[in-house]
């Protein structure tokens, strides 16, 4: 295990949740949430390599397609190495991201990756990328009082996902950019159903 990574083995035959933190976060942030969403899954959490104004991210808000895809290539390479090390199935890896991590999860999912699905907790904006999402399932949450993500931005993001072929489930709530137990329970129910159908 390299620095700035966390791995927790799950039960045999279970998928792996790839946990991607929000801006200013670390690899520790989503480990409890990953365990809540899928208690028996493998959990792999990585820290973003980009620092903007002292805050860790997976890519900067001003990043262009080339910069984002460079980080996606790093993610896929790192993930495949861990899949070999821990004998994980790369086609049973489901990214779970929050905020900047959710945007990064979407970028990775849409980059012809082996991932079958993703959970996007408060994604922020459409991406300057051509996404390949045919046959991919996505769950996304949005707070109607979010002070960081406008309704128009989230709507444009949702449209980008669906026009790229993604099967999108949206959960809206009346809170802000914070995570809350209601959305986590809804994400867990969706993820549980997806994993049962996928087996």
């Amino acid at each position: 295990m390299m620095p700035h990574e966390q791995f927790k083995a799950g039960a045999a035959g279970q998928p792996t949740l790839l946990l991607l933190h929000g801006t200013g976060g670390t690899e520790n942030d989503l480990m409890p949430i990953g365990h809540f969403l899928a208690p028996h899954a493998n959990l792999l959490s990585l820290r973003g390599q980009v620092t903007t104004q002292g805050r860790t991210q997976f890519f900067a808000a001003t990043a262009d397609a080339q910069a984002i895809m460079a980080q996606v290539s790093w993610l896929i390479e790192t993930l495949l190495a861990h899949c070999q090390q821990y004998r994980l199935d790369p086609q049973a890896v489901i990214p779970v991201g929050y905020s900047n991590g959710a945007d990064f999860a979407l970028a990775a999912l849409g980059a012809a990756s082996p991932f079958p699905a993703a959970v996007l907790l408060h994604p922020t904006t459409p991406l300057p990328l051509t996404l390949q999402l045919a046959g991919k399932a996505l769950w996304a949450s949005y707070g109607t009082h979010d002070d960081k993500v406008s309704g128009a931005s989230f709507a444009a993001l949702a449209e980008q996902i669906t026009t790229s072929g993604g099967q999108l489930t949206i959960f809206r709530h009346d809170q802000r950019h914070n995570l809350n137990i209601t959305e986590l329970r809804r994400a867990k129910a969706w993820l549980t159903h997806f994993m049962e159908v996928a087996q």
Side-chain angles (χ1 to χ4, degrees):
M1 179 63 61
M2 298 293 290
H4 307 315
E5 299 174 0
Q6 290 280 356
F7 177 75
K8 181 178 182 298
Q14 289 294 304
T16 300
L17 299 190
L18 174 62
L19 306 173
L20 305 170
H21 62 77
T23 297
T26 75
E27 66 279 9
N28 300 314
D29 292 357
L30 296 188
M31 289 293 286
I33 289 174
H35 181 72
F36 174 82
L37 294 177
H40 303 294
N42 305 294
L43 303 178
L44 175 61
S45 186
L46 305 177
R47 185 184 297 191
Q49 296 193 115
V50 175
T51 302
T52 303
Q53 296 180 339
R55 306 182 75 192
T56 305
Q57 295 180 297
F58 291 99
F59 62 88
T62 56
D64 59 14
Q66 183 177 1
I68 295 172
M69 289 310 301
Q71 293 305 308
V72 169
S73 295
W74 161 77
L75 177 71
I76 299 298
E77 181 180 344
T78 301
L79 174 70
L80 292 178
H82 285 311
C83 285
Q84 184 174 16
Q85 179 181 358
Y86 297 113
R87 298 182 180 181
L88 307 174
D89 180 0
Q91 296 185 349
V93 174
I94 300 172
V96 176
Y98 168 62
S99 195
N100 178 255
D103 297 339
F104 192 50
L106 176 59
L109 190 73
S113 67
F115 311 141
V119 173
L120 311 178
L121 300 166
H122 299 267
T124 71
T125 185
L127 299 173
L129 302 173
T130 299
L131 302 177
Q132 302 176 45
L133 296 174
K136 309 279 189 177
L138 302 96
W139 186 96
S141 62
Y142 170 66
T144 56
H145 291 88
D146 196 322
D147 57 340
K148 297 182 179 180
V149 183
S150 69
S153 181
F154 182 81
L157 173 65
E159 182 177 5
Q160 182 182 35
I161 290 171
T162 55
T163 57
S164 301
Q167 302 168 11
L168 177 62
T169 299
I170 296 173
F171 176 68
R172 291 181 174 85
H173 56 79
D174 62 359
Q175 295 191 31
R176 302 175 72 175
H177 203 64
N178 57 291
L179 296 174
N180 63 77
I181 189 60
T182 302
E183 72 179 308
L184 293 178
R185 285 172 176 160
R186 293 290 290 269
K188 179 177 183 175
W190 181 89
L191 186 59
T192 299
H193 177 73
F194 176 83
M195 292 189 299
E196 288 174 349
V197 172
Q199 287 183 342

